[in-house]
Amino acid sequence: MGLNCYKIFREANTFDNLKKINPFKKFIFKWFIKLCYPQANKVICNSHDTKNSLEKFAQLKLKNYCVIENPVLSKKISQQNTKRPKEVWLQNSSFKVILGAGRFVPQKNFKTLIRAFALAFKTDNSLRLILIGKGPEESSLKQLVIEKKISDFVKFPGFVSDIFGYLKFSRVTMAIVTGK
């Protein structure tokens, strides 16, 4: 007995973080994968590492899979009509601006970026940090900034629909991608 439809699963995460979840939830998750994924017409993974992690976690060998990597910025994007951000730090050449963007969730690990920034700031007070995004960890990230006594040097502009303006028109020294 099965569904008479085309079944596609997409995985974009490795399974390393599952070590921290409740053992019962982990059991159910593994059971679901072992039951459903072999029946899939296609399993799409965003990297070979994700595919290998899935196979190791679920102790199965994927047959019908493909890897479709995350998109890369193209020239077309850089030519689109983007807005210049109004952030003063981005226009001032005396500041070294670090930009982080993404969902404020544990997997993105913005806490490590904030801690690293706090350490680096002790040796270079021209550093500034802009964290673009929204998510359930936002208040704890802001609290960490307060605890590290770097509130005057970190900004949270919230969700920005056109992040490319930050990269195209500004003096961003580094764009950092964090994650676990």
Side-chain angles (χ1 to χ4, degrees):
M1 181 167 132
L3 295 175
N4 188 18
C5 64
Y6 205 77
K7 296 172 280 302
I8 300 173
F9 293 96
R10 180 179 183 275
E11 279 303 332
N13 296 309
T14 59
F15 292 83
D16 302 332
N17 291 333
L18 292 180
K19 295 172 189 169
K20 300 174 186 173
I21 69 169
N22 173 307
F24 181 71
K25 286 182 181 179
K26 187 175 179 178
F27 170 79
I28 296 297
F29 193 56
K30 187 184 261 187
W31 174 81
F32 174 80
I33 289 173
K34 288 179 111 170
L35 177 69
C36 297
Y37 279 53
Q39 297 179 40
N41 298 92
K42 190 67 73 178
V43 176
I44 302 169
C45 299
N46 72 338
S47 72
H48 290 285
D49 286 341
T50 300
K51 179 237 177 213
N52 294 338
S53 178
L54 172 63
E55 287 181 332
K56 183 179 175 185
F57 171 75
Q59 299 165 334
L60 58 83
K61 187 76 177 155
L62 294 176
K63 295 177 186 153
N64 297 323
Y65 80 92
C66 68
V67 172
I68 301 176
E69 295 180 354
N70 291 328
V72 179
L73 300 180
S74 69
K75 287 182 180 180
K76 193 176 190 180
I77 289 174
S78 67
Q79 294 168 350
Q80 76 183 29
N81 187 18
T82 56
K83 295 178 182 174
R84 183 179 302 271
K86 295 177 180 167
E87 177 52 57
V88 180
W89 292 348
L90 297 171
Q91 312 310 323
N92 187 334
S93 63
S94 64
F95 294 132
K96 297 173 189 163
V97 179
I98 299 169
L99 179 68
R103 290 176 298 132
F104 296 150
V105 294
Q107 180 188 1
K108 299 298 182 181
N109 203 14
F110 282 103
K111 288 181 180 179
T112 297
L113 177 56
I114 292 168
R115 288 184 189 106
F117 175 82
L119 288 172
F121 185 78
K122 290 177 182 177
T123 61
D124 185 351
N125 63 8
S126 69
L127 292 174
R128 300 295 182 266
L129 177 61
I130 298 175
L131 296 174
I132 297 172
K134 287 276 186 203
E137 278 204 329
E138 186 171 352
S139 62
S140 65
L141 294 175
K142 289 178 178 179
Q143 184 59 41
L144 180 59
V145 166
I146 292 166
E147 289 169 17
K148 295 292 182 183
K149 298 178 175 42
I150 52 175
S151 298
D152 292 338
F153 314 102
V154 179
K155 292 196 178 176
F156 290 85
F159 174 79
V160 174
S161 62
D162 184 13
I163 191 170
F164 304 110
Y166 279 81
L167 302 171
K168 184 176 179 180
F169 296 115
S170 64
R171 297 180 178 270
V172 169
T173 305
M174 283 183 261
I176 306 275
V177 178
T178 58
K180 290 184 178 180

